[in-house]
Amino acid sequence: MTKVRIITDSTADLPLELAERYGIIVVPLQVFFGAAGYRDGIDLTKEEFFQRLAVSSALPTTSQPAPADFAAVYRPLLEEGAEAVSIHISSLLSGTVQSAQLAKNMLNYEQLEIIDSQTVSVILGMIVLGAARAAEAGYSKNEVVALVRRIIADHKIFFMVDTLEYLQRGGRIGKAQAFLGAVMNVKPICTIKDGIVYPQEKVRGRNKALARVVQLLAGAFHNEPVFCCMAHGNDYEGLAYAKELVQEHLNCAELLECQLGSVVGTHGGPGIQGIAVCRIGLMHPEESKINT
């Protein structure tokens, strides 16, 4: 049996080596500095993006893939008779899912399942990685989809931003608009729920905010073995500090570090730090197949 193929988009922020290792197909979104457009992760590296962001007088803009971009990926899979699962950024944050669905309809690709992850970035990457591991372990398409649904329903993510300016200007602020007008040095902690950004709480000081993020996760999972995924914009010092906290307070059976790409970086800003967690068993489907 041919293994199920897994497709996602560049907002999953998966390290390139992981995507290549599991044969994950990544469809890029675009980022624009003025009239110049760049395919996320292809024409502009993560490092180059944050260098440009630091000196740009205006915030860059982003754009979803066109249906034709998805059709170009789906068509060869359809022609080889492959079953496929395509998992994407929340439909409330981007029109990417809609473009994927239009491409599926154009091709009449019945063996393709398109999933709205209701999230973005490291959680999307975690979901996609779990799906790819399940496909490699020989799961059927329905079993992969069932696992994806479980990870979507059973995870936690919290992230801290230096400022809400990027989320606000990019139109992705969601319910976190309640935090606008916070006093200096108060760091907003947010989460993603039902497909949009929600406020969690405000903490004075960057290190205290990171410590609170870890505390929230430790309270949710206690000492249960978990898969931890850490992401940052362009703040390696903050990442190192957060990693120390995670290793001290969470029972991380597996830890993945990611740098955000240009699309998520546009809306989160260079100082963002996020940590996503799910139960380790969901990320090791080869050990026990789930019931569909």
Side-chain angles (χ1 to χ4, degrees), residues 2 23 48 54 69 105 114 121 175-176 183 194 206 232 240 244 265 283 289:
T2 304
E48 289 169 342
D69 297 326
N105 295 345
I114 294 174
S121 192
K175 300 292 185 181
V183 298
D194 301 324
R206 184 172 181 79
H232 70 108
E244 290 179 9
M283 297 302 297
K289 297 187 73 172

Side-chain angles (χ1 to χ4, degrees), residues 195-206:
I196 61 174
V197 176
Y198 269 79
Q200 181 69 29
E201 54 191 77
K202 295 177 287 187
V203 178
R204 186 178 294 277
R206 184 172 181 79

Side-chain angles (χ1 to χ4, degrees), residues 5 39 51 81 168 172 209 275 283:
R5 302 301 302 275
R39 291 171 296 172
Q51 289 169 4
Q168 182 189 24
R172 304 305 196 278
I275 306 173
M283 297 302 297

Side-chain angles (χ1 to χ4, degrees), residues 90-93 116-119 191-198:
S90 167
S91 60
L92 296 178
L93 297 175
D116 179 352
S117 73
Q118 302 173 44
T119 191
T191 188
I192 300 174
K193 184 169 61 175
D194 301 324
I196 61 174
V197 176
Y198 269 79

Side-chain angles (χ1 to χ4, degrees), residues 30-219:
Q30 284 192 296
V31 61
F32 292 85
F33 283 91
Y38 304 88
R39 291 171 296 172
D40 186 17
I42 297 177
D43 303 320
L44 194 65
T45 68
K46 296 175 180 182
E47 292 76 15
E48 289 169 342
F49 165 74
F50 283 106
Q51 289 169 4
R52 285 185 177 234
L53 184 64
V55 299
S56 176
S57 59
L59 189 68
T61 59
T62 59
S63 177
Q64 70 208 44
D69 297 326
F70 280 107
V73 167
Y74 294 156
R75 187 174 288 107
L77 302 180
L78 173 63
E79 290 173 351
E80 70 182 48
E83 294 189 317
V85 179
S86 199
I87 314 163
H88 299 290
I89 178 176
S90 167
S91 60
L92 296 178
L93 297 175
S94 169
T96 299
V97 167
Q98 182 181 18
S99 288
Q101 189 64 52
L102 286 171
K104 173 183 175 175
N105 295 345
M106 286 164 44
L107 297 172
N108 194 27
Y109 192 171
E110 294 182 359
Q111 296 305 309
L112 167 66
E113 182 85 18
I114 294 174
I115 298 178
D116 179 352
S117 73
Q118 302 173 44
T119 191
V120 67
S121 192
V122 287
I123 278 294
L124 174 55
M126 185 183 292
I127 293 165
V128 170
L129 179 58
R133 287 177 171 180
E136 186 171 81
Y139 278 45
S140 69
K141 186 187 73 171
N142 287 343
E143 288 173 327
V144 170
V145 170
L147 176 64
V148 166
R149 302 290 186 201
R150 286 185 62 186
I151 302 175
I152 290 173
D154 189 19
H155 73 266
K156 295 288 184 184
I157 180 169
F158 295 103
F159 62 94
M160 181 214 70
V161 292
D162 262 347
T163 171
L164 291 170
E165 174 189 2
Y166 294 93
L167 284 170
Q168 182 189 24
R169 290 169 64 188
R172 304 305 196 278
I173 195 166
K175 300 292 185 181
Q177 61 186 336
F179 279 172
L180 289 176
V183 298
M184 187 176 298
N185 204 35
V186 170
K187 303 303 178 185
I189 296 174
C190 301
T191 188
I192 300 174
K193 184 169 61 175
D194 301 324
I196 61 174
V197 176
Y198 269 79
Q200 181 69 29
E201 54 191 77
K202 295 177 287 187
V203 178
R204 186 178 294 277
R206 184 172 181 79
N207 286 355
K208 288 183 178 179
L210 287 171
R212 179 57 179 156
V213 166
V214 174
Q215 184 182 45
L216 288 166
L217 292 167

